[in-house]
Amino acid sequence: MEKILQDPYVFQLILDEDPEQDIYNEFDIDQTQQPLGIFNHRLVTVISVKYMNGTFFVLFKHGGEIRGWTSIKNSHYVYPKVTESVKVDLETYTAHPFNSKVMGQMDMMTEFRDRLLASKSYVEVDGTKLEMLFVKGNLRGLVHSRELQKGRNMNDTCIVQSDAPRFRDSNFAIELPVREEDFEAKIVLYFPDLKLIKLQHGSLVSWMHEADVDYDFSQVGDEPPVVQEDVHQYYTDERQKVKAIIDGLLRRQIRLEQDADNAKARLQRIETLYKNLRESKLGKIQVKLWERRKRRAK
């Protein structure tokens, strides 16, 4: 962790610290804001790192907002990996204890059932790699690789018979209408364990059973790629994270400038009102009374 935290790039952590420890102000690390509390066991983006008095502190962002600095000792580094389309094998799935800490009391069997998820990263917990599964950028759970049914990305064409059953989604819930003639489509994704494929024809996407397509899938390897850190993904992810952070900082700067302008305008209005009152007839009388009281006091 020490080597990782010293690297100068934007990265992610799952916080795993004392929930009672402090979060410090982003502009003044000596000023306490609040306890870590609800942010513990959350996926956060680290913007900056400081090393002080033998302790690492990270400035982190969560929920679109920069939350502040907090100390890091036991948190879990998030390793980027090649993104894979996956489904969870519910017959073999057993929730890892760390998954419960991160996802709370969510019913994972219901959450994973019939869902197509994206495995985009992983963490190591007590020597075990847990892949982090997302739906539209939202973390939905952490699962061991052996409990995942993984799709293989492809880029090959096949001829689809006009009356072959095609479906709108990977669960085969909605069947698409029969076409008038055979057509050529591109195979973009294949699940060997589930024997299903994803096709693309122009802008149209459909799903089919492997057996209903005239294509030899034996050439596609059975074993999925080894789960390992992907260096290229660092740069792709970092560009996206940095853009989001810069957008957030610009919005914050605009708010601060607006607040400063409003405060300046209020001060100017107060000064104008004071000047007008002081120069009014009533104000001049009041000023003379104040001056008289001062002379008496002396």
Side-chain angles (χ1 to χ4, degrees):
M1 178 62 76
E2 181 172 337
K3 180 180 180 300
I4 292 169
L5 290 176
Q6 289 176 347
D7 291 338
Y9 59 83
V10 174
F11 57 94
Q12 290 186 305
L13 292 174
I14 292 182
L15 295 174
D16 192 3
E17 308 295 338
D18 180 355
E20 298 301 319
Q21 76 180 37
D22 291 324
I23 296 176
Y24 301 95
N25 185 277
E26 62 179 290
F27 300 113
D28 183 359
I29 202 168
D30 294 323
Q31 181 181 340
T32 302
Q33 287 195 161
Q34 66 183 91
L36 185 60
I38 61 171
F39 298 111
N40 202 36
H41 295 131
R42 294 293 179 264
L43 175 63
V44 303
T45 299
V46 174
I47 300 170
S48 185
V49 180
K50 287 184 179 182
Y51 186 71
M52 300 186 304
N53 302 321
T55 302
F56 281 103
F57 291 82
V58 295
L59 177 63
F60 72 94
K61 178 173 176 280
H62 180 270
E65 296 290 337
I66 298 174
R67 302 298 178 176
W69 296 88
T70 197
S71 60
I72 293 297
K73 183 178 180 181
N74 302 310
S75 294
H76 306 273
Y77 178 76
V78 174
Y79 294 88
K81 61 177 284 291
V82 174
T83 300
E84 297 175 285
S85 296
V86 303
K87 284 175 172 281
V88 178
D89 186 351
L90 297 181
E91 293 184 2
T92 62
Y93 173 70
T94 302
H96 190 281
F98 189 66
N99 184 85
S100 301
K101 290 182 179 180
V102 177
M103 304 309 298
Q105 300 304 311
M106 183 183 296
D107 183 349
M108 303 311 299
M109 298 294 282
T110 301
E111 179 66 26
F112 291 145
R113 182 170 287 110
D114 297 331
R115 296 196 82 164
L116 184 65
L117 304 113
S119 172
K120 301 166 63 174
S121 49
Y122 67 92
V123 293
E124 293 186 348
V125 181
D126 298 328
T128 300
K129 288 182 179 179
L130 297 176
E131 298 192 41
M132 301 173 65
L133 309 183
F134 295 80
V135 174
K136 296 181 179 179
N138 296 314
L139 180 63
R140 306 315 303 165
L142 298 91
V143 178
H144 195 286
S145 301
R146 64 172 175 263
E147 299 167 335
L148 295 176
Q149 297 159 321
K150 296 193 170 187
R152 311 290 194 274
N153 291 322
M154 295 182 62
N155 186 19
D156 210 347
T157 56
C158 66
I159 299 299
V160 180
Q161 302 297 318
S162 61
D163 59 350
R166 296 176 300 112
F167 299 84
R168 182 173 295 173
D169 57 63
S170 60
N171 300 320
F172 297 165
I174 302 175
E175 187 168 358
L176 296 171
V178 174
R179 294 179 64 96
E180 294 182 357
E181 56 185 22
D182 299 349
F183 64 97
E184 185 179 78
K186 183 183 294 185
I187 303 172
V188 294
L189 191 62
Y190 169 54
F191 281 85
D193 296 332
L194 301 172
K195 307 301 182 186
L196 62 90
I197 61 173
K198 181 181 180 181
L199 298 172
Q200 181 136 16
H201 177 66
S203 60
L204 301 177
V205 172
S206 58
W207 291 81
M208 297 183 67
H209 292 284
E210 173 189 337
D212 294 325
V213 178
D214 185 14
Y215 186 88
D216 181 12
F217 288 96
S218 63
Q219 59 185 319
V220 182
D222 290 334
E223 292 299 321
V226 176
V227 178
Q228 60 185 2
E229 190 175 10
D230 180 38
V231 177
H232 175 72
Q233 198 66 31
Y234 277 129
Y235 304 107
T236 303
D237 290 349
E238 186 174 10
R239 283 197 299 271
Q240 296 173 346
K241 294 186 185 82
V242 168
K243 181 180 182 300
I245 290 167
I246 289 175
D247 289 344
L249 289 173
L250 286 174
R251 288 194 298 271
R252 174 165 294 196
Q253 181 181 359
I254 291 170
R255 287 199 302 269
L256 289 172
E257 288 176 350
Q258 288 174 340
D259 291 343
D261 289 341
N262 292 336
K264 185 177 179 180
R266 286 195 298 269
L267 180 59
Q268 288 176 342
R269 286 198 297 272
I270 291 170
E271 290 176 347
T272 300
L273 286 170
Y274 175 74
K275 183 179 178 181
N276 291 341
L277 284 171
R278 185 182 177 89
E279 293 179 354
S280 68
K281 185 175 181 180
L282 184 61
K284 289 177 180 178
I285 293 172
Q286 183 63 55
V287 169
K288 287 181 179 180
L289 289 173
W290 285 336
E291 291 175 348
R292 190 174 299 168
R293 288 174 183 172
K294 287 180 182 178
R295 286 196 297 269
R296 290 176 181 173
K298 292 179 181 179

